[in-house]
């Protein structure tokens, strides 16, 4: 597929650089209204669409605030957005140069307890698959995964051999999600976390809770507990 | 500023919905090459630019993988991107309906230790401002902030009364950053964390480490320790 942009990317880039410089060096201060597109197009000697593209990029960066009627202002509190890429755990471990393996500690088919059902917006007692998995890098515990899968939104899950393909990977490969809830927190390892992660009870663990949906309902709800000392990097 | 898009947003939206449905229902499976823009434009009876816009949105969602020569494919491992908005702590506390206050526990001007200097890519011993601040909501500790500020990139910091304006807010209002390193982890509260957060030593705390830069160098490096039980929500 060939893209033929209507705008000139290298000129747009030059405008982005110059506008960013004016903001960073506070020639244009926070809250200031900046010149409109037509004025900037004249100043930079480019098409208005190129200015539009450049301002759009700066708005996505959080430096500009664009409103249809009020014009474009320098953001007063630059939105501090950071992007996290939540990797497939096997790829993450292999990407770090370690040998990946996993172990299914428990697998049951049964009714979802109230807190899980509520998190997944399903009726209490909905039949689901409950899996507890440990992911290892070079035979050292990397992550403990406690997961509920809803066969209504992920049909076929009842028949998968999760010893062969880990639940995270099977779901990612088969059930793209449309929306999800993600939250980070810290917990002191309980007795089970400590045993599975081969650490001491009470050790601080980074916890990621995630519930994902497709058009059939909640696919899965998972609690990931990372090994002690793990740090998740975000890119702004 | 009036935006006059060359594409039709409602038609692009309809295409996004239909293509997403085909992927979710696995008519188009992971790794499949999808029809090219011209074919889709004919199928949907729209301008090619509208198809391009729709596919771009789906690529940003992570469902499609677009390559100039190889065409557009359904992503094999949908990138699991999540966006975190890192709020201004005062706004976060007030947004939760609590009264905000802060207390500067320590403020010094002195040489940066090796680990901080290295994190900020500055020479060891560079003179910086070191601040320790507690942020409160309804007089309960919300967050402990341990911050180094580099006056070379944030001139004027030496003369600010941080009892009046907290360091987070002063920096955000005055020094937009161009890039930053952000990482999340969990730590057991040490004696100081425990005292300042009014909790027990050893309690698991969510930790955010952030270092930000502008074109003059590293502005600041901060370690934020959140109160026990705090959960940071990301939106995918």
């Amino acid at each position: 597929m060939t893209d033929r942009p209507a705008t000139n990317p290298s000129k747009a880039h030059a405008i982005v650089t110059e506008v960013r410089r004016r903001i960073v060096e506070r020639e244009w201060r926070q809250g200031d209204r900046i010149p409109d597109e037509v004025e900037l197009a004249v100043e930079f000697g480019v098409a208005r669409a190129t200015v539009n593209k450049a301002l759009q990029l700066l708005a996505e960066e959080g430096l500009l605030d664009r409103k249809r009627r009020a014009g474009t202002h320098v953001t007063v509190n630059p939105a501090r957005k950071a992007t996290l890429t939540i990797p497939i755990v096997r790829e993450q471990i292999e990407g770090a140069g370690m040998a990946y393996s996993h172990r299914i500690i428990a697998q049951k088919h049964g009714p979802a307890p109230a807190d899980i059902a509520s998190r997944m917006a399903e009726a209490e007692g909905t039949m689901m698959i409950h899996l507890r998995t440990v992911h290892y890098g070079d035979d050292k515990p990397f992550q403990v995964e406690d997961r509920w899968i809803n066969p209504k939104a992920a049909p076929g899950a009842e028949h998968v051999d999760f010893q062969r393909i880990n639940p995270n990977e099977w779901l990612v490969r088969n059930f793209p999600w449309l929306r999800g809830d993600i939250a980070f927190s810290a917990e002191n390892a309980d007795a089970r976390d400590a045993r599975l992660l081969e650490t001491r009870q009470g050790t601080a663990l980074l916890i990621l809770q995630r519930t994902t949906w497709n058009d059939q309902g909640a696919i899965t709800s998972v609690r990931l507990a990372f090994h002690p000392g793990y740090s998740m990097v975000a890119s702004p």
Side-chain angles (χ1 to χ4, degrees), chain A:
Chain A
M1 190 166 305
T2 315
D3 295 322
R4 284 200 210 89
T7 58
N8 184 324
S10 71
K11 282 191 183 165
H13 182 75
I15 296 170
V16 165
T17 304
E18 171 59 15
V19 170
R20 198 194 279 125
R21 186 195 65 74
R22 291 183 190 177
I23 295 170
V24 168
E25 297 186 0
R26 294 196 274 168
E27 290 173 23
W28 291 350
R29 300 177 72 98
Q30 300 196 20
D32 282 0
R33 179 170 178 163
I34 73 167
D36 69 23
E37 284 184 7
V38 173
E39 290 172 76
L40 291 172
V42 171
E43 181 189 342
F44 292 114
V46 298
R48 181 175 160 181
T50 301
V51 171
N52 184 291
K53 173 76 180 162
L55 299 187
Q56 194 50 42
L57 289 169
L58 288 158
E60 284 162 16
E61 268 185 34
L63 287 177
L64 292 179
D65 204 4
R66 307 184 84 195
K67 296 223 175 73
R68 205 165 279 265
R69 284 170 194 284
T72 298
H73 291 76
V74 180
T75 310
V76 173
N77 296 320
R80 298 166 152 251
K81 301 249 183 232
T83 304
L84 287 160
T85 302
I86 298 167
I88 292 190
V89 60
R90 181 183 56 74
E91 292 181 355
Q92 187 180 15
I93 288 169
E94 290 176 353
M98 296 184 286
Y100 172 78
S101 60
H102 78 284
R103 201 151 61 93
I104 304 288
I105 302 300
Q107 176 164 3
K108 280 183 238 171
H109 197 220
D115 60 331
I116 299 293
S118 148
R119 191 171 290 158
M120 297 173 82
E122 296 286 344
E124 193 178 334
T126 301
M127 294 300 282
M128 295 198 193
I129 297 150
H130 184 199
L131 288 154
R132 199 168 292 121
T133 309
V134 185
H135 301 276
Y136 299 88
D138 283 348
D139 297 322
K140 281 175 60 183
F142 182 86
Q143 185 192 88
V144 170
E145 176 187 312
D146 191 307
R147 182 186 293 279
W148 292 81
I149 302 177
N150 178 13
K152 195 179 75 185
E158 311 88 318
H159 312 299
V160 175
D161 177 1
F162 288 115
Q163 302 282 357
R164 257 173 29 91
I165 182 166
N166 78 62
N168 168 242
E169 197 150 351
W170 182 77
L171 286 164
V172 168
R173 289 200 188 286
N174 289 284
F175 297 97
W177 43 276
L178 296 179
R179 62 185 186 86
D181 292 337
I182 300 172
F184 294 87
S185 57
E187 288 180 26
N188 291 99
D190 64 14
R192 181 160 61 205
D193 288 333
R195 178 167 43 81
L196 297 178
L197 288 170
E198 299 171 14
T199 187
R200 281 211 310 273
Q201 202 172 326
T203 304
L205 304 176
L206 181 65
I207 305 291
L208 192 162
Q209 292 262 15
R210 183 174 57 210
T211 306
T212 51
W213 281 266
N214 63 20
D215 54 350
Q216 303 299 306
I219 304 169
T220 189
S221 186
V222 67
R223 171 191 184 268
L224 304 176
F226 291 88
H227 66 82
Y230 178 75
S231 171
M232 180 170 279
V233 173
S235 56

